[in-house]
Amino acid sequence: DTEVTQTPKHLVMGMTNKKSLKCEQHMGHRAMYWYKQKAKKPPELMFVYSYEKLSINESVPSRFSPECPNSSLLNLHLHALQPEDSALYLCASASSDLYEKLFFGSGTQLSVL
Amino acid sequence: EDQVTQSPEALRLQEGESSSLNCSYTVSGLRGLFWYRQDPGKGPEFLFTLYSAGEEKEKERLKATLTKKESFLHITAPKPEDSATYLCAGGGFGNEKLTFGTGTRLTIIP
């Protein structure tokens, strides 16, 4: 299984809602990532988890809260988002030896109204 | 600060018309230069990793090459299914973070 699975595929939420994005991989990878991508722009790194510990937070606003319950799962909790947070949210994973060979999920297209 | 710049921003080719995409990079302690393909609304798909100048890798109609300052993605006799955005990214030693370029949107016209 070489897939990274993200749910939901699409999400529409209001600015007062709380929602969560989920990501799962069963490749035994020890590094997991959240990226944000706006249309026609490259992916922007948000968070990196390495061996289930948060190793990088790219100064992301606290309305985004990551969680890594175990080595296969990664969540992104969303609260009080702004319309400018609308984007494609991508999860990726990599083995501990090859951080650069990222396997990406198909993403969650998020719209904040 | 690491930088990766891709050109052209967009490229339209006739089916069968070969061309090259450019990626210029300034990455401290480069450990690898990576190419990804991204279809609309999907996550990037890994294509190649290049580790040292002079290295070349091929996959079907694609060939990636690396010099000390640039990487090229050559596409030979492209087909419409090769239409996508091609992203280049650089990673430095001791840094878990990849620096992505803005991509080249490639359109192959039948």
Side-chain angles (χ1 to χ4, degrees), chain B residues 63-98:
Chain B
K63 183 168 83 171
T65 62
L66 183 67
T67 73
K68 288 187 177 180
K69 294 182 179 179
E70 295 176 302
S71 179
F72 294 93
L73 185 65
H74 307 277
I75 182 159
T76 302
K79 298 182 177 181
E81 54 263 40
D82 295 320
S83 297
T85 295
Y86 290 85
L87 294 164
C88 169
F93 277 105
N95 186 354
E96 293 168 307
K97 180 180 171 181
L98 280 184

Short mmCIF file of all heavy atoms in Angstrom, two decimals, chain B residues 63-98:
data_model
loop_
_atom_site.label_atom_id
_atom_site.label_comp_id
_atom_site.label_asym_id
_atom_site.label_seq_id
_atom_site.Cartn_x
_atom_site.Cartn_y
_atom_site.Cartn_z
N LYS B 63 13.04 13.01 -18.90
CA LYS B 63 14.42 12.84 -18.44
C LYS B 63 14.81 14.07 -17.65
O LYS B 63 14.65 15.20 -18.11
CB LYS B 63 15.39 12.66 -19.61
CG LYS B 63 16.82 12.42 -19.14
CD LYS B 63 17.73 11.96 -20.25
CE LYS B 63 18.27 13.07 -21.08
NZ LYS B 63 19.33 12.57 -22.03
N ALA B 64 15.32 13.83 -16.43
CA ALA B 64 15.75 14.91 -15.57
C ALA B 64 17.27 14.92 -15.48
O ALA B 64 17.89 13.86 -15.37
CB ALA B 64 15.16 14.76 -14.18
N THR B 65 17.85 16.12 -15.55
CA THR B 65 19.30 16.29 -15.45
C THR B 65 19.61 17.35 -14.41
O THR B 65 18.77 18.19 -14.08
CB THR B 65 19.91 16.68 -16.80
OG1 THR B 65 19.36 17.95 -17.21
CG2 THR B 65 19.61 15.65 -17.88
N LEU B 66 20.85 17.31 -13.90
CA LEU B 66 21.24 18.23 -12.83
C LEU B 66 22.63 18.78 -13.08
O LEU B 66 23.56 18.03 -13.42
CB LEU B 66 21.22 17.51 -11.47
CG LEU B 66 21.53 18.35 -10.24
CD1 LEU B 66 20.45 19.40 -9.99
CD2 LEU B 66 21.70 17.46 -9.00
N THR B 67 22.77 20.12 -12.94
CA THR B 67 24.07 20.76 -12.90
C THR B 67 24.22 21.39 -11.51
O THR B 67 23.34 21.24 -10.66
CB THR B 67 24.21 21.85 -13.98
OG1 THR B 67 23.42 22.99 -13.59
CG2 THR B 67 23.74 21.35 -15.35
N LYS B 68 25.30 22.13 -11.31
CA LYS B 68 25.52 22.72 -9.99
C LYS B 68 24.56 23.86 -9.68
O LYS B 68 24.42 24.27 -8.53
CB LYS B 68 26.96 23.20 -9.87
CG LYS B 68 27.94 22.05 -9.76
CD LYS B 68 29.36 22.52 -9.47
CE LYS B 68 30.28 21.33 -9.30
NZ LYS B 68 31.68 21.74 -9.02
N LYS B 69 23.89 24.37 -10.72
CA LYS B 69 23.00 25.51 -10.49
C LYS B 69 21.59 25.29 -11.00
O LYS B 69 20.68 26.04 -10.65
CB LYS B 69 23.55 26.76 -11.17
CG LYS B 69 24.85 27.26 -10.58
CD LYS B 69 25.30 28.54 -11.28
CE LYS B 69 26.60 29.05 -10.67
NZ LYS B 69 27.06 30.29 -11.36
N GLU B 70 21.42 24.27 -11.87
CA GLU B 70 20.12 24.11 -12.53
C GLU B 70 19.77 22.63 -12.68
O GLU B 70 20.64 21.77 -12.68
CB GLU B 70 20.15 24.70 -13.94
CG GLU B 70 20.35 26.19 -14.02
CD GLU B 70 20.47 26.66 -15.47
OE1 GLU B 70 21.38 26.17 -16.18
OE2 GLU B 70 19.63 27.48 -15.89
N SER B 71 18.48 22.42 -12.86
CA SER B 71 18.01 21.11 -13.28
C SER B 71 17.07 21.32 -14.45
O SER B 71 16.37 22.35 -14.54
CB SER B 71 17.28 20.41 -12.14
OG SER B 71 16.81 19.14 -12.55
N PHE B 72 17.08 20.35 -15.35
CA PHE B 72 16.20 20.42 -16.51
C PHE B 72 15.33 19.17 -16.53
O PHE B 72 15.79 18.07 -16.22
CB PHE B 72 17.00 20.51 -17.81
CG PHE B 72 17.78 21.78 -17.94
CD1 PHE B 72 19.11 21.83 -17.52
CD2 PHE B 72 17.21 22.91 -18.47
CE1 PHE B 72 19.84 23.01 -17.63
CE2 PHE B 72 17.94 24.09 -18.59
CZ PHE B 72 19.25 24.13 -18.16
N LEU B 73 14.08 19.37 -16.91
CA LEU B 73 13.19 18.24 -17.15
C LEU B 73 12.88 18.25 -18.64
O LEU B 73 12.21 19.15 -19.14
CB LEU B 73 11.91 18.36 -16.32
CG LEU B 73 10.95 17.18 -16.40
CD1 LEU B 73 11.59 15.93 -15.80
CD2 LEU B 73 9.64 17.48 -15.68
N HIS B 74 13.46 17.29 -19.35
CA HIS B 74 13.27 17.20 -20.78
C HIS B 74 12.08 16.29 -21.05
O HIS B 74 11.98 15.20 -20.48
CB HIS B 74 14.52 16.61 -21.44
CG HIS B 74 15.78 17.32 -21.08
ND1 HIS B 74 16.21 18.46 -21.70
CD2 HIS B 74 16.72 17.03 -20.14
CE1 HIS B 74 17.36 18.85 -21.15
NE2 HIS B 74 17.69 17.99 -20.21
N ILE B 75 11.21 16.74 -21.93
CA ILE B 75 10.08 15.91 -22.30
C ILE B 75 10.16 15.65 -23.81
O ILE B 75 10.20 16.59 -24.61
CB ILE B 75 8.74 16.52 -21.86
CG1 ILE B 75 7.58 15.60 -22.22
CG2 ILE B 75 8.52 17.93 -22.44
CD1 ILE B 75 6.34 15.86 -21.40
N THR B 76 10.19 14.38 -24.15
CA THR B 76 10.39 13.96 -25.53
C THR B 76 9.07 13.43 -26.10
O THR B 76 8.44 12.58 -25.48
CB THR B 76 11.46 12.87 -25.61
OG1 THR B 76 12.67 13.36 -25.05
CG2 THR B 76 11.70 12.46 -27.07
N ALA B 77 8.70 13.98 -27.27
CA ALA B 77 7.47 13.54 -27.95
C ALA B 77 6.30 13.44 -26.99
O ALA B 77 5.72 12.37 -26.80
CB ALA B 77 7.71 12.22 -28.67
N PRO B 78 5.95 14.55 -26.34
CA PRO B 78 4.90 14.49 -25.31
C PRO B 78 3.53 14.14 -25.87
O PRO B 78 3.23 14.40 -27.05
CB PRO B 78 4.89 15.90 -24.72
CG PRO B 78 5.43 16.77 -25.81
CD PRO B 78 6.44 15.92 -26.51
N LYS B 79 2.71 13.58 -24.97
CA LYS B 79 1.33 13.24 -25.29
C LYS B 79 0.39 14.10 -24.42
O LYS B 79 0.82 14.62 -23.38
CB LYS B 79 1.07 11.76 -25.03
CG LYS B 79 1.93 10.84 -25.88
CD LYS B 79 1.60 9.38 -25.60
CE LYS B 79 2.42 8.47 -26.51
NZ LYS B 79 2.11 7.04 -26.29
N PRO B 80 -0.87 14.22 -24.82
CA PRO B 80 -1.80 15.04 -24.02
C PRO B 80 -1.85 14.65 -22.54
O PRO B 80 -2.00 15.52 -21.67
CB PRO B 80 -3.15 14.79 -24.71
CG PRO B 80 -2.78 14.54 -26.14
CD PRO B 80 -1.49 13.76 -26.08
N GLU B 81 -1.65 13.38 -22.24
CA GLU B 81 -1.69 12.94 -20.84
C GLU B 81 -0.49 13.43 -20.03
O GLU B 81 -0.46 13.29 -18.79
CB GLU B 81 -1.82 11.42 -20.73
CG GLU B 81 -0.78 10.63 -21.47
CD GLU B 81 -1.26 10.15 -22.83
OE1 GLU B 81 -1.96 10.92 -23.53
OE2 GLU B 81 -0.93 9.00 -23.19
N ASP B 82 0.49 14.02 -20.66
CA ASP B 82 1.61 14.62 -19.95
C ASP B 82 1.28 16.02 -19.45
O ASP B 82 2.08 16.65 -18.74
CB ASP B 82 2.85 14.69 -20.85
CG ASP B 82 3.36 13.31 -21.23
OD1 ASP B 82 3.35 12.41 -20.36
OD2 ASP B 82 3.75 13.12 -22.40
N SER B 83 0.12 16.52 -19.82
CA SER B 83 -0.31 17.85 -19.36
C SER B 83 -0.47 17.82 -17.84
O SER B 83 -1.17 16.97 -17.30
CB SER B 83 -1.63 18.24 -20.02
OG SER B 83 -1.50 18.35 -21.41
N ALA B 84 0.19 18.75 -17.18
CA ALA B 84 0.18 18.82 -15.70
C ALA B 84 1.04 20.00 -15.30
O ALA B 84 1.68 20.64 -16.14
CB ALA B 84 0.74 17.54 -15.09
N THR B 85 1.09 20.26 -14.00
CA THR B 85 2.08 21.20 -13.47
C THR B 85 3.25 20.41 -12.94
O THR B 85 3.07 19.44 -12.20
CB THR B 85 1.47 22.06 -12.35
OG1 THR B 85 0.43 22.89 -12.90
CG2 THR B 85 2.53 22.96 -11.71
N TYR B 86 4.45 20.81 -13.33
CA TYR B 86 5.66 20.13 -12.90
C TYR B 86 6.38 21.01 -11.88
O TYR B 86 6.70 22.17 -12.16
CB TYR B 86 6.55 19.81 -14.10
CG TYR B 86 5.93 18.73 -14.95
CD1 TYR B 86 4.99 19.05 -15.93
CD2 TYR B 86 6.23 17.38 -14.75
CE1 TYR B 86 4.39 18.06 -16.69
CE2 TYR B 86 5.63 16.38 -15.51
CZ TYR B 86 4.70 16.74 -16.47
OH TYR B 86 4.10 15.76 -17.21
N LEU B 87 6.57 20.45 -10.71
CA LEU B 87 7.18 21.18 -9.58
C LEU B 87 8.58 20.66 -9.33
O LEU B 87 8.83 19.46 -9.34
CB LEU B 87 6.35 20.98 -8.31
CG LEU B 87 4.95 21.56 -8.29
CD1 LEU B 87 4.15 20.95 -7.14
CD2 LEU B 87 5.00 23.07 -8.13
N CYS B 88 9.47 21.58 -9.07
CA CYS B 88 10.83 21.29 -8.71
C CYS B 88 11.01 21.68 -7.24
O CYS B 88 10.42 22.67 -6.79
CB CYS B 88 11.74 22.11 -9.62
SG CYS B 88 13.46 22.16 -9.21
N ALA B 89 11.80 20.93 -6.49
CA ALA B 89 12.01 21.25 -5.08
C ALA B 89 13.43 20.89 -4.68
O ALA B 89 13.98 19.90 -5.17
CB ALA B 89 11.00 20.51 -4.21
N GLY B 90 14.00 21.68 -3.78
CA GLY B 90 15.35 21.41 -3.30
C GLY B 90 15.34 21.21 -1.80
O GLY B 90 14.58 21.86 -1.08
N GLY B 91 16.18 20.30 -1.34
CA GLY B 91 16.31 20.05 0.10
C GLY B 91 17.76 20.10 0.50
O GLY B 91 18.62 19.58 -0.21
N GLY B 92 18.05 20.74 1.64
CA GLY B 92 19.42 20.84 2.11
C GLY B 92 19.69 19.89 3.26
O GLY B 92 18.78 19.47 3.97
N PHE B 93 20.94 19.56 3.48
CA PHE B 93 21.31 18.67 4.58
C PHE B 93 20.93 19.29 5.92
O PHE B 93 21.08 20.48 6.13
CB PHE B 93 22.81 18.38 4.56
CG PHE B 93 23.18 17.29 3.61
CD1 PHE B 93 23.79 17.59 2.40
CD2 PHE B 93 22.92 15.97 3.91
CE1 PHE B 93 24.13 16.59 1.51
CE2 PHE B 93 23.25 14.95 3.02
CZ PHE B 93 23.85 15.28 1.81
N GLY B 94 20.44 18.46 6.81
CA GLY B 94 20.07 18.92 8.14
C GLY B 94 18.80 19.72 8.15
O GLY B 94 18.48 20.40 9.12
N ASN B 95 18.04 19.64 7.06
CA ASN B 95 16.82 20.44 6.95
C ASN B 95 15.71 19.54 6.43
O ASN B 95 15.79 19.01 5.33
CB ASN B 95 17.07 21.60 5.98
CG ASN B 95 15.92 22.57 5.91
OD1 ASN B 95 14.88 22.33 6.49
ND2 ASN B 95 16.10 23.66 5.20
N GLU B 96 14.67 19.36 7.23
CA GLU B 96 13.56 18.50 6.80
C GLU B 96 12.67 19.19 5.79
O GLU B 96 11.76 18.58 5.24
CB GLU B 96 12.71 18.12 8.01
CG GLU B 96 13.42 17.22 9.00
CD GLU B 96 12.64 17.11 10.29
OE1 GLU B 96 12.30 18.15 10.88
OE2 GLU B 96 12.37 15.98 10.70
N LYS B 97 12.91 20.45 5.56
CA LYS B 97 12.00 21.25 4.74
C LYS B 97 12.46 21.29 3.30
O LYS B 97 13.63 21.53 3.01
CB LYS B 97 11.97 22.67 5.31
CG LYS B 97 11.08 23.62 4.59
CD LYS B 97 11.16 24.99 5.29
CE LYS B 97 10.45 26.05 4.47
NZ LYS B 97 10.54 27.38 5.11
N LEU B 98 11.52 21.04 2.37
CA LEU B 98 11.79 21.20 0.95
C LEU B 98 11.38 22.60 0.53
O LEU B 98 10.34 23.09 0.95
CB LEU B 98 10.98 20.19 0.14
CG LEU B 98 11.47 18.77 0.02
CD1 LEU B 98 10.57 17.99 -0.92
CD2 LEU B 98 12.91 18.72 -0.47
#
